[in-house]
Amino acid sequence: MELNLNRVDYIQVGVTSQKTMRLLPAQGRKTTQKVAIADHDGILTCFGIKKGEAVPVFKTLPGQKIIRMDLGGAVGSPQEKIFVCSGSQVRGFTKKGKQFLTFEANLTENINAMHVSGADLFVCASYIYNHYCDCKDQNYYLSGDKINDITCVSSENLTRLSPVLACQDRVLRVLQGSELAYDIEVPGPPSVLELYNKTRGDELLYGTTDGKIGLVQIGEHSASSKWEIDNDKKKGGILCIDTYDIIGDGVNDVLVGRDDGTLEVYGFDSSNEPTLRFDHVLSESVTSIQGGCVGKESYDEVLAATYTGWVTGLTTEPQKAEAGPGDEVRMSKETQSKVEALRAELEQLQVKVLQGREQYQQTSQSSTAVSAVPTFSINDKFTLCQDDASYCLTLEVQTAIDNLLLQSDVPIDLLDVDKNSAVVSFSECDSEQPNGNFLLATYRCQANTTRLELKVRSIEGQYGTLQAYVTPRLQPKTCQVRQYQIKPLSLHQRTHSIDQDRPMNRLSLVGQFSFAEIHSWVVFCLPEVPEKTPAGESITFYFHNTFLGTQLEANYCKGEGHFRSDNISTISILSDVLSKEATKRKINLNISYDINDDSVSHTLRMIHPKLEFQLVLARKVQLIDALKELQIHEGNSDFLIPEYRNILDESASLLEEYKKQPAHLERLYGMITDLFIDKFKFKGQNVKTKVSSLLEILDNYDLNSLLDFFCEA
Amino acid sequence: MLVPIFTLKLNHKINPRMVTIGKYDGLLVFIHNPHTRAQRPVSHRLSQSAQDSDVSLLNINQAVSCLTAGKLGPNTTGDTLLVGSQTNLLAYDVHDNADVFYKDVADGANAIVLGQLGDISSPLAIIGGNCALQGFDYMGNDKFWTVTGDNVRSLVLSDFTGDGKNELLVGSEDFDIRVFKEDELVSEMSENETVTALCHMHDCRFGYALANGTVGVYDRNARYWRIKSKNHAMSIHAFDLNSDGVVELITGWSNGKIDARSDRTGEVIFKDNLSSSVAGVVEGDYRLDGQKQLICASVEGEVRGYLPASKELKGNLMDSSAEQDLVRELSNRKQNLLLELRNYEENSKACSVQGVSESSGGVGVIPANTQLQTALSVRASTEAQKAHVELSISTPNETIIRAVLIFAEGIFEGESHVVHPSAQNLSGCVRVPIVPPKDIPVDLHIKAFIGGRTSTQFHVFEITRHLPRFSMYDISSDSDSAEPPSGRVTFSISERPQRVVMWLNQNFLLPKGVDSPDVTFTSLRGGGHLSISMASSGQITLRTDDVDLAGDLVQSLASFLGIEELSSEADFPEYFEELRTTLTEVDEFHSVHQKLTAAMADHSNYIKNMLVQAEDARLMGHTTTMKKRYRELYDLNRDLINEYKIRSNNHNALLACLKSVNLAIQRAGRLRVGKPKNQVIAACRDAIKSNNINSLFRIMRAGTASS
């Protein structure tokens, strides 16, 4: 079934956070719904659409920025009370805009997730979960990693409401009272939770920051995964999910909004598998999404709010006929009046702005005045992309970006992203002291670019900071700097478990350090470790290397730490960094190694298929042009041996594969060289002189000769 | 919304920029070129569907470097196909399947254009090679010749001056667009990258594309608009796509995008995407229905044709509805203004609350009277640093400069240069060394991030400074200390010395300014000297060993003073000596070339014999003899390949020499302005043709052949 949706822009408010727009339930005979949206200026706006124009119902005064919004109401009645949270405060409004509740949660941190159900209020600050009933404290839980979202599951099978927390360490935690009932492992850091069936149900949808979606069924003591949608096309991370039957086949469809501006509708086929039915790309992140009926009676639509505060509908209402002579006449009266009103408003604003500008200019004459321009908000994300083991930096600003300066004090590669239209220019940099810059690049953006996406490739063992200076096109001109840590083991990612059968090397530390101290070192070395020191005596984290597939186990407690990895280079980097950190704090460390020689050949064997694949690919790609030439010359390719004919047939996919992984081979070579040097470092030998012969062997690659070389040298 | 009227897939690759269209015998032929072949999908007169087109191949056997088609001869039935390679030009009559002429062109053919030039009666095929331009008529006669500054990359015929006759526009690798009225250079425009494509728009307007992804439109010698993309423009073409009577600039990009931009504003009025890089954009009546279509071809062989929009569309070729966009744009503007207003409000609030005393670290509060001071100065080389022009930027108070971005064209590797001191070395003063690689005037757009030491937000100060053309020359106080350069140019002007002083002050970076026109400079690039002196009679003498510099100075001074004709006497002993050696080398390379060609002919005869013998042996069943013969053949083949390598090296060396000879003529021309300049170039050409080297040097010195 084909789904055709037309885009309509309704209104623009301030910058919005994730999940801050909801549709109020339809009232009485009227079928169009009102929209409530809250923004960073602290304004809660409620509006309806009349004749294509947004008519406000109410608007609150500005205040602290609003992070979440939820709808609630007494059980059994329409859920039309609006709850918003800002700072550590939760406020409730009626659908008319009357404030009936102000509740101070008394948390030390700001609330970042909230759920309301009847008289129950669930709030989460970064690590803390709190449950209030009728504003009285009920339950409390401290999570091991940051909480991104919360929702509650209730069904016949469950005796009571069970809250589910989406935690950064790739698990969903199901709570029972103040206790953890059990946790569910999910394939990425979950960012959003939504019930599949809004009123009742135990089926829970989750979306991850790396763009995966899944459905789990929550039971009393365990959960089962129903389906999962992978992120093959490398779209953005999930920010919001909703379910609504927009297709009209009687089954609720899944509506998804992503942080790269993609908006998707998944329907279900006969075998109950989710399939993509519709997608649309907006220019900025989609922060909230909901299905309903807003613009016109009896036309369903998908309503989305974006980062800069646009409320956009994708409606099933067919667009008015496009054709017809005359451009001006065709514009409907409504839009015409809309445009005129806007123009008038603009003129007024222009006058005000001019006054403001003049005043600002005048202050520059005075010697006592200061210039303090308020900060603009930047929505940024710096994540490791599992597929090509590179970091993806996305920056989004509420207004158009003028230019971006990237600076790094570690050697990194900046990769081109097709989606970018900005003109990049690399500047010569002096990696030597005193400035120590390894990368200086400017992006000059085209008009109306509010979102930039960059790819950065790091090298394990080289650590430092990447800084981004963002200058938007806004007077008076200011720029903001954002810092991103490139950690020593930057290509590692948390996993739930590791394969214990592999030959492992061990690094053990013993010394006079506290649990908090060693935890801070681990945070320094590895990504995706919570900054807060974990509760309990000791802790174990598992990681895997996204590039090579090797693994790492970190287990530590007060005065003792054990790190096990099948990759000797990982151990070497860890030992270097940890001892350096300890020396900084003047702590004496007793470091011991347990090196397993089998691990090196094991790692080489793990690299082997990747390396061989890359080598074969490179060779095939090299042949494509020549073979094509032959084919044209001879008119057909029948005379070629099947192998070559195959290359010709697959040439398109080969080229695509080759393009996808730039410099892959060089990276593999680099890692093998590191492995070689590290192996002998632990034996106390310096083999840097032999690296050239190693490279020679790699040029005529053969696994056995490489293994021999590693053994002999 | 405009949609393609036809799309077809050729199963052949097309080389970038090698697409042309011509009409042959009532059939329409559309020509591309992969490697060494030209192929022609032919659509027949009666076939409506473009799918019926068939492809025929034409084997050229040489790497084709440029391609065009058009009417060359007076009596031919169809268009003539012109194929240029690095060594020759072939005019081919497709209808008769016969060569019209075949010419060796030593300077190579990088670009080709066909049409009427100035007052020359017959259409010319003009090719641009290494620094040289050559025009041939249908007989293959050399009707036109001149030199230009560097390797030619693009050519177009356009009525630049608006006098009803075509001028030749030449884009070259030294980033210049030059306009020739026949062989007289009438105008010159400097860009900041290699000019890869030019196209005539209408009246005096023309479009251009650069290697760095810039496309734009000039009206005579004033740039109308330009845009820059991170992709490269592969082909540009003028076509009236929206039927408003004015052509648009159609650009085919390396990422497969095609866009049409209004010639007035550069606004995109239409875009479409091909699956791979665009190879060329042409127009022609491909369907033979009397309407011109815009035809785009991609390197993978995808071809799309577009008809101009019908009147109903009213120029609205994009699919998204205009009203939505308008509302959105207005709202965006409103939002922007609101934000700006908020900035001012918050700022005045901050002022009243804080006063000047406290600055809260993060926000980056700075005193409102902070002003950025910039200064440009020339720094001679020291042990630590090479000679450079120094741009110093400083703040008057305790605020620091976190980073400086300088956007400028043509003087940095990219389009920007960044200075980012490490956190320990932050201060209120930043010195940026700048080394302009060429003598060009540049505007430096400086953006400095000013704030406190721990700020995460900075104020951005934007300042534009002008870097004068001859900034890399340091004035020397004592002119006697160094030996004066041996090269010199002398010419007379009828202007007051004050005007020359003005020119000096504007075009050189002088700390104090000068008041007399007699000055001496040291070049920061080579360390050579440059002295300028003016006698009371108005005679100016420039002393330098750098011919290019002398030429630049003469041109700059002449344009400053508005001099239209200027003849001069010049002597550059060192350079002339070099040129003399080059000329002898050219002779040597020529003779080596002939020898090698003879040897190659011998070898190919051998091969023929050998092959016959080997095949005989095979037929007779003498395996051993056959093997032996083939082994010999293999050896011979190897010899041939080696010889080929020698030959190609020799050829490249020859090309380099020829280029430097052409360049020398161009340089000699640049020492003069107007008519004297053209006379010098023409006279030099004659001298070279007649191989009269002494007269060549005499011309270069005196400016005329007769002395």
Side-chain angles (χ1 to χ4, degrees):
Chain A
M1 193 185 327
E2 196 159 325
L3 186 59
N4 248 327
L5 299 177
N6 296 310
R7 175 174 168 184
V8 194
D9 292 331
Y10 290 121
I11 192 177
Q12 190 178 16
V13 296
V15 175
T16 64
S17 285
Q18 196 189 346
K19 288 173 92 171
T20 49
M21 182 210 64
R22 294 293 292 266
L23 297 182
L24 300 180
Q27 285 176 314
R29 285 183 297 126
K30 269 199 182 159
T31 51
T32 57
Q33 293 171 274
K34 302 265 190 296
V35 183
I37 181 163
D39 60 25
H40 279 193
D41 301 331
I43 303 173
L44 168 64
T45 315
C46 181
F47 66 93
I49 304 294
K50 263 189 196 139
K51 289 184 187 157
E53 198 144 357
V55 181
V57 176
F58 70 87
K59 206 170 167 182
T60 66
L61 291 171
Q64 218 181 342
K65 73 175 178 187
I66 296 171
I67 299 299
R68 279 294 155 95
M69 171 195 281
D70 201 4
L71 297 182
V75 179
S77 70
Q79 306 283 304
E80 54 185 16
K81 299 221 162 39
I82 306 161
F83 294 86
V84 294
C85 64
S86 46
S88 64
Q89 199 180 50
V90 178
R91 286 176 293 164
F93 294 88
T94 64
K95 61 181 180 186
K96 299 269 187 249
K98 196 171 149 281
Q99 187 170 343
F100 65 89
L101 172 81
T102 313
F103 171 64
E104 183 59 51
N106 277 330
L107 296 175
T108 45
E109 285 165 290
N110 289 344
I111 297 171
N112 61 8
M114 175 181 70
H115 182 77
V116 182
S117 168
D120 294 298
L121 170 69
F122 305 86
V123 295
C124 297
S126 29
Y127 295 97
I128 306 159
Y129 153 82
N130 247 318
H131 172 204
Y132 303 93
C133 187
D134 285 325
C135 297
K136 279 190 213 64
D137 215 334
Q138 297 286 325
N139 293 311
Y140 169 86
Y141 177 74
L142 186 66
S143 156
D145 206 335
K146 280 208 181 96
I147 304 169
N148 291 333
D149 200 11
I150 180 173
T151 195
C152 285
V153 177
S154 64
S155 77
E156 298 82 23
N157 305 341
L158 296 167
T159 43
R160 63 170 84 71
L161 225 52
S162 32
V164 183
L165 309 180
C167 300
Q168 185 66 25
D169 54 356
R170 294 156 201 267
V171 289
L172 306 179
R173 294 196 159 87
V174 183
L175 303 182
Q176 200 159 36
S178 292
E179 297 300 319
L180 176 70
Y182 58 91
D183 52 22
I184 309 158
E185 292 172 357
V186 291
S191 50
V192 56
L193 297 175
E194 204 68 55
L195 293 179
Y196 179 70
N197 193 336
K198 270 178 222 166
T199 46
R200 281 188 81 72
D202 51 2
E203 287 183 319
L204 183 68
L205 284 161
Y206 64 83
T208 67
T209 52
D210 51 4
K212 292 166 189 151
I213 312 162
L215 181 76
V216 284
Q217 188 166 23
I218 308 287
E220 184 89 39
H221 302 291
S222 67
S224 55
S225 174
K226 292 277 169 199
W227 49 259
E228 213 179 281
I229 306 170
D230 229 8
N231 188 19
D232 293 329
K233 291 203 178 128
K234 291 190 192 159
K235 290 177 182 167
I238 313 288
L239 281 182
C240 47
I241 299 182
D242 188 43
T243 54
Y244 190 78
D245 181 18
I246 187 87
I247 297 172
D249 55 359
V251 182
N252 268 357
D253 308 309
V254 179
L255 318 177
V256 178
R258 294 176 186 262
D259 65 6
D260 64 347
T262 318
L263 210 151
E264 293 166 322
V265 176
Y266 288 91
F268 292 91
D269 57 16
S270 47
S271 57
N272 243 357
E273 285 293 312
T275 43
L276 184 66
R277 289 294 172 80
F278 174 82
D279 66 340
H280 185 88
V281 182
L282 301 171
S283 57
E284 51 211 39
S285 358
V286 180
T287 50
S288 318
I289 192 165
Q290 197 172 354
C293 176
V294 177
K296 203 166 188 190
E297 275 180 50
S298 69
Y299 287 109
D300 282 347
E301 67 183 283
V302 178
L303 202 69
T306 66
Y307 172 70
T308 61
W310 270 105
V311 181
T312 302
L314 289 169
T315 171
T316 48
E317 183 188 352
Q319 210 108 349
K320 276 154 251 155
E322 279 289 309
D327 210 26
E328 294 307 310
V329 193
R330 214 182 59 203
M331 199 184 278
S332 61
K333 278 221 176 77
E334 288 111 64
T335 24
Q336 240 170 1
S337 62
K338 207 165 160 182
V339 167
E340 266 163 33
L342 263 173
R343 279 192 204 277
E345 210 174 337
L346 269 177
E347 256 164 49
Q348 283 181 358
L349 272 174
Q350 213 112 38
V351 175
K352 267 194 195 167
V353 165
L354 276 179
Q355 283 171 353
R357 244 180 241 176
E358 255 167 46
Q359 266 177 14
Y360 183 75
Q361 292 297 339
Q362 273 166 8
T363 59
S364 70
Q365 306 297 328
S366 109
S367 56
T368 52
V370 293
S371 167
V373 178
T375 49
F376 52 91
S377 72
I378 299 181
N379 185 10
D380 57 346
K381 200 171 111 178
F382 187 64
T383 46
L384 179 61
C385 182
Q386 207 172 336
D387 302 328
D388 53 0
S390 65
Y391 275 89
C392 185
L393 172 64
T394 52
L395 291 162
E396 192 170 15
V397 182
Q398 63 194 114
T399 174
I401 303 174
D402 184 56
N403 65 65
L404 168 75
L405 163 63
L406 277 188
Q407 179 268 341
S408 162
D409 57 1
V410 272
I412 49 172
D413 291 330
L414 196 59
L415 308 179
D416 194 31
V417 178
D418 280 345
K419 268 186 269 181
N420 269 351
S421 61
V423 179
V424 61
S425 150
F426 292 91
S427 173
E428 210 179 290
C429 43
D430 38 346
S431 49
E432 298 301 310
Q433 292 298 328
N435 291 339
N437 295 318
F438 279 94
L439 170 79
L440 285 172
T442 56
Y443 279 79
R444 194 166 52 79
C445 299
Q446 313 280 354
N448 297 330
T449 310
T450 56
R451 196 170 181 284
L452 262 182
E453 205 175 305
L454 319 165
K455 277 214 151 177
V456 165
R457 217 162 42 196
S458 59
I459 305 162
E460 285 213 322
Q462 312 245 30
Y463 55 99
T465 319
L466 171 71
Q467 298 195 88
Y469 293 84
V470 188
T471 314
R473 271 178 210 199
L474 188 63
Q475 292 298 332
K477 272 214 172 157
T478 54
C479 86
Q480 231 180 80
V481 55
R482 287 290 158 119
Q483 297 191 328
Y484 309 95
Q485 299 302 327
I486 311 270
K487 305 212 169 181
L489 293 173
S490 49
L491 299 182
H492 279 72
Q493 200 172 46
R494 281 276 291 280
T495 53
H496 300 299
S497 61
I498 58 169
D499 175 9
Q500 296 289 355
D501 296 336
R502 296 187 187 174
M504 299 287 244
N505 306 294
R506 209 183 72 228
L507 164 75
S508 300
L509 308 173
V510 181
Q512 294 289 323
F513 47 79
S514 67
F515 190 32
E517 266 168 331
I518 186 161
H519 181 72
S520 74
W521 300 338
V522 173
V523 171
F524 182 79
C525 289
L526 284 152
E528 300 190 10
V529 183
E531 269 172 41
K532 191 177 69 76
T533 313
E537 293 288 295
S538 73
I539 186 86
T540 307
F541 289 117
Y542 300 111
F543 301 90
H544 79 123
N545 185 322
T546 49
F547 193 70
L548 293 180
T550 58
Q551 53 193 27
L552 169 70
E553 179 195 288
N555 171 300
Y556 52 91
C557 59
K558 181 175 179 290
E560 214 173 310
H562 301 283
F563 299 90
R564 301 198 314 136
S565 170
D566 51 346
N567 186 343
I568 208 164
S569 296
T570 309
I571 292 291
S572 156
I573 292 168
L574 264 177
S575 98
D576 285 352
V577 178
L578 289 176
S579 53
K580 209 183 262 176
E581 281 299 298
T583 324
K584 252 193 228 162
R585 299 192 198 183
K586 301 212 168 71
I587 291 172
N588 231 340
L589 277 191
N590 200 346
I591 301 181
S592 59
Y593 306 102
D594 179 7
I595 301 301
N596 185 342
D597 272 344
D598 291 344
S599 75
V600 176
S601 47
H602 159 77
T603 312
L604 284 177
R605 283 207 176 86
M606 285 198 56
I607 298 176
H608 171 71
K610 291 186 214 285
L611 191 61
E612 193 164 49
F613 174 76
Q614 289 297 328
L615 285 168
V616 169
L617 185 66
R619 201 176 58 90
K620 281 184 177 171
V621 167
Q622 226 173 7
L623 283 174
I624 288 178
D625 269 346
L627 287 174
K628 282 214 166 145
E629 178 78 37
L630 277 175
Q631 186 188 17
I632 293 169
H633 207 86
E634 299 293 327
N636 60 45
S637 58
D638 299 342
F639 62 97
L640 292 171
I641 58 170
E643 186 196 339
Y644 288 162
R645 244 181 295 168
N646 258 342
I647 295 180
L648 267 181
D649 293 344
E650 292 167 4
S651 60
S653 60
L654 285 173
L655 279 172
E656 204 172 300
E657 185 76 23
Y658 191 67
K659 245 200 225 158
K660 246 201 276 179
Q661 303 171 321
H664 207 92
L665 210 53
E666 284 77 13
R667 281 178 101 184
L668 283 171
Y669 280 7
M671 292 197 180
I672 293 174
T673 316
D674 284 349
L675 202 65
F676 181 67
I677 293 172
D678 288 332
K679 177 185 167 170
F680 289 96
K681 201 176 88 179
F682 284 108
K683 289 191 173 162
Q685 296 173 12
N686 188 344
V687 286
K688 288 214 168 117
T689 47
K690 289 185 188 159
V691 168
S692 57
S693 31
L694 172 68
L695 288 176
E696 239 167 68
I697 289 186
L698 285 175
D699 278 340
N700 310 303
Y701 176 70
D702 172 55
L703 179 60
N704 289 325
S705 60
L706 186 66
L707 287 174
D708 289 347
F709 183 78
F710 265 74
C711 288
E712 282 164 21
Chain B
M1 176 72 179
L2 194 71
V3 286
I5 46 162
F6 65 84
T7 306
L8 60 123
K9 194 98 185 138
L10 303 170
N11 283 321
H12 297 282
K13 286 202 170 190
I14 304 172
N15 275 8
R17 304 200 172 90
M18 298 291 161
V19 177
T20 188
I21 190 160
K23 207 173 175 192
Y24 300 107
D25 191 24
L27 300 175
L28 221 98
V29 184
F30 185 50
I31 298 167
H32 327 279
N33 163 275
H35 303 291
T36 56
R37 273 168 296 282
Q39 36 181 291
R40 313 165 303 163
V42 184
S43 94
H44 295 276
R45 184 193 292 276
L46 295 171
S47 71
Q48 278 301 309
S49 146
Q51 311 300 344
D52 290 344
S53 65
D54 52 328
V55 179
S56 55
L57 298 172
L58 186 67
N59 214 327
I60 305 289
N61 263 336
Q62 233 169 354
V64 175
S65 57
C66 59
L67 193 66
T68 194
K71 237 178 168 48
L72 186 63
N75 302 319
T76 47
T77 42
D79 287 354
T80 309
L81 173 68
L82 290 146
V83 183
S85 73
Q86 274 313 316
T87 50
N88 54 48
L89 173 71
L90 169 72
Y92 175 76
D93 190 317
V94 180
H95 179 240
D96 299 338
N97 191 15
D99 288 0
V100 180
F101 64 81
Y102 180 89
K103 277 276 176 188
D104 275 326
V105 282
D107 292 318
N110 296 336
I112 188 164
V113 67
L114 195 150
Q116 296 272 354
L117 173 67
D119 288 325
I120 301 171
S121 56
S122 60
L124 292 183
I126 300 164
I127 56 164
N130 303 331
C131 298
L133 296 163
Q134 237 174 322
F136 298 97
D137 68 2
Y138 70 100
M139 303 286 285
N141 296 326
D142 183 355
K143 286 277 178 121
F144 168 76
W145 189 92
T146 190
V147 286
T148 179
D150 205 334
N151 292 349
V152 176
R153 289 293 299 273
S154 47
L155 289 171
V156 74
L157 287 164
S158 168
D159 184 9
F160 181 80
T161 49
D163 59 357
K165 289 171 203 145
N166 277 340
E167 280 78 41
L168 178 66
L169 273 64
V170 182
S172 55
E173 282 177 7
D174 60 353
F175 311 170
D176 276 350
I177 302 172
R178 295 186 176 80
V179 183
F180 290 91
K181 190 178 174 64
E182 295 191 26
D183 50 8
E184 174 192 352
L185 179 70
V186 290
S187 188
E188 207 171 343
M189 286 143 282
S190 273
E191 274 298 333
N192 47 50
E193 248 298 350
T194 303
V195 184
T196 53
L198 290 166
C199 80
H200 171 66
M201 300 285 291
H202 58 92
D203 301 334
C204 307
R205 266 185 215 179
F206 65 93
Y208 72 100
L210 304 183
N212 64 2
T214 307
V215 294
V217 165
Y218 269 94
D219 190 9
R220 305 221 178 154
N221 45 15
R223 189 160 50 213
Y224 228 71
W225 58 263
R226 61 171 170 175
I227 57 108
K228 191 174 170 189
S229 160
K230 69 169 185 173
N231 300 305
H232 301 291
M234 302 304 286
S235 175
I236 55 175
H237 192 80
F239 189 74
D240 183 13
L241 199 61
N242 61 357
S243 310
D244 62 352
V246 183
V247 290
E248 285 84 46
L249 183 69
I250 318 288
T251 315
W253 297 92
S254 57
N255 62 345
K257 197 169 87 177
I258 305 158
D259 57 25
R261 291 171 184 274
S262 146
D263 77 317
R264 289 173 297 273
T265 58
E267 187 191 351
V268 177
I269 60 155
F270 170 71
K271 59 183 174 204
D272 200 358
N273 272 302
L274 296 179
S275 56
S276 58
S277 171
V278 175
V281 181
V282 291
E283 70 173 89
D285 181 11
Y286 187 71
R287 298 200 301 186
L288 296 170
D289 54 3
Q291 280 177 301
K292 288 269 187 192
Q293 293 115 35
L294 179 74
I295 300 164
C296 306
S298 78
V299 291
E300 294 295 338
E302 188 181 352
V303 179
R304 278 191 204 174
Y306 302 89
L307 263 186
S310 56
K311 290 278 183 243
E312 284 84 64
L313 281 171
K314 282 273 177 194
N316 182 20
L317 308 181
M318 310 279 264
D319 56 347
S320 60
S321 72
E323 45 191 283
Q324 283 276 347
D325 284 349
L326 183 65
V327 170
R328 209 174 161 78
E329 193 206 310
L330 288 175
S331 306
N332 269 340
R333 262 170 47 198
K334 178 182 144 194
Q335 198 70 11
N336 240 353
L337 287 174
L338 280 173
L339 281 172
E340 190 176 339
L341 206 58
R342 188 182 69 116
N343 278 352
Y344 295 129
E345 279 166 8
E346 296 281 323
N347 179 45
S348 55
K349 241 188 255 169
C351 279
S352 57
V353 172
Q354 288 186 311
V356 73
S357 56
E358 285 304 304
S359 58
S360 62
V363 186
V365 180
I366 62 166
N369 61 353
T370 309
Q371 266 176 350
L372 212 57
Q373 280 134 14
T374 59
L376 282 166
S377 55
V378 181
R379 293 265 178 261
S381 68
T382 59
E383 273 180 21
Q385 230 174 348
K386 278 196 290 187
H388 59 269
V389 176
E390 184 182 275
L391 171 70
S392 92
I393 304 166
S394 57
T395 63
N397 44 35
E398 72 280 10
T399 51
I400 54 107
I401 301 177
R402 178 62 267 202
V404 177
L405 274 69
I406 304 170
F407 286 87
E409 289 172 323
I411 60 171
F412 305 125
E413 252 171 64
E415 56 169 25
S416 69
H417 181 75
V418 182
V419 179
H420 184 279
S422 66
Q424 297 86 36
N425 295 321
L426 288 174
S427 72
C429 181
V430 166
R431 289 173 209 283
V432 190
I434 296 172
V435 184
K438 292 207 301 179
D439 288 333
I440 41 166
V442 180
D443 279 328
L444 303 171
H445 301 279
I446 304 161
K447 291 177 203 282
F449 298 169
I450 311 288
R453 270 172 201 284
T454 53
S455 305
T456 54
Q457 179 156 337
F458 301 91
H459 283 71
V460 180
F461 281 69
E462 291 180 310
I463 295 173
T464 301
R465 279 298 301 251
H466 182 75
L467 192 65
R469 180 184 283 268
F470 302 102
S471 53
M472 283 295 275
Y473 299 90
D474 191 12
I475 191 159
S476 350
S477 44
D478 44 331
S479 47
D480 323 311
S481 64
E483 204 173 298
S486 51
R488 59 170 183 82
V489 192
T490 320
F491 52 90
S492 296
I493 55 165
S494 51
E495 287 279 354
R496 286 172 296 125
Q498 281 79 358
R499 294 263 289 160
V500 179
V501 171
M502 261 170 75
W503 169 76
L504 277 173
N505 284 330
Q506 278 187 21
N507 285 281
F508 286 84
L509 209 53
L510 302 166
K512 289 189 282 288
V514 289
D515 37 22
S516 99
D518 299 325
V519 281
T520 310
F521 296 94
T522 319
S523 166
L524 297 186
R525 290 201 189 88
H529 292 278
L530 159 73
S531 78
I532 300 171
S533 60
M534 185 174 183
S536 52
S537 60
Q539 192 185 54
I540 294 182
T541 309
L542 305 172
R543 288 182 177 279
T544 173
D545 285 331
D546 187 343
V547 194
D548 275 327
L549 173 62
D552 282 345
L553 286 167
V554 170
Q555 297 297 322
S556 164
L557 184 61
S559 70
F560 180 82
L561 299 173
I563 299 171
E564 278 173 1
E565 288 195 6
L566 180 75
S567 62
S568 65
E569 285 184 21
D571 192 16
F572 294 91
E574 284 176 27
Y575 180 69
F576 287 168
E577 203 43 54
E578 232 174 81
L579 186 60
R580 201 181 285 275
T581 359
T582 311
L583 285 169
T584 41
E585 274 173 15
V586 168
D587 284 343
E588 279 167 24
F589 284 133
H590 267 304
S591 59
V592 172
H593 177 74
Q594 271 162 6
K595 260 187 236 160
L596 287 172
T597 315
M600 185 182 65
D602 284 353
H603 271 124
S604 49
N605 274 337
Y606 262 133
I607 284 182
K608 273 181 205 151
N609 287 338
M610 210 87 85
L611 196 66
V612 171
Q613 285 177 12
E615 282 302 285
D616 281 353
R618 185 174 69 87
L619 291 175
M620 310 268 285
H622 292 181
T623 324
T624 34
T625 330
M626 183 193 84
K627 272 189 180 165
K628 203 174 138 205
R629 291 282 172 257
Y630 269 116
R631 211 170 295 128
E632 282 170 4
L633 202 56
Y634 175 73
D635 290 341
L636 203 55
N637 188 44
R638 206 174 42 206
D639 286 352
L640 259 181
I641 289 172
N642 285 337
E643 244 170 63
Y644 167 75
K645 279 180 188 148
I646 297 169
R647 223 151 44 92
S648 83
N649 282 342
N650 180 63
H651 181 71
N652 284 338
L654 177 65
L655 274 190
C657 286
L658 284 178
K659 183 180 165 183
S660 71
V661 171
N662 284 335
L663 212 55
I665 299 176
Q666 160 80 2
R667 282 172 174 158
R670 277 181 70 81
L671 297 173
R672 286 94 188 170
V673 180
K675 207 170 246 163
K677 176 177 180 172
N678 299 325
Q679 282 168 356
V680 168
I681 292 176
C684 284
R685 160 78 165 158
D686 288 341
I688 294 226
K689 262 192 177 168
S690 58
N691 212 4
N692 189 345
I693 291 175
N694 287 329
S695 123
L696 175 72
F697 287 115
R698 201 162 57 235
I699 296 158
M700 285 186 169
R701 282 198 189 97
T704 44
S706 54
S707 56

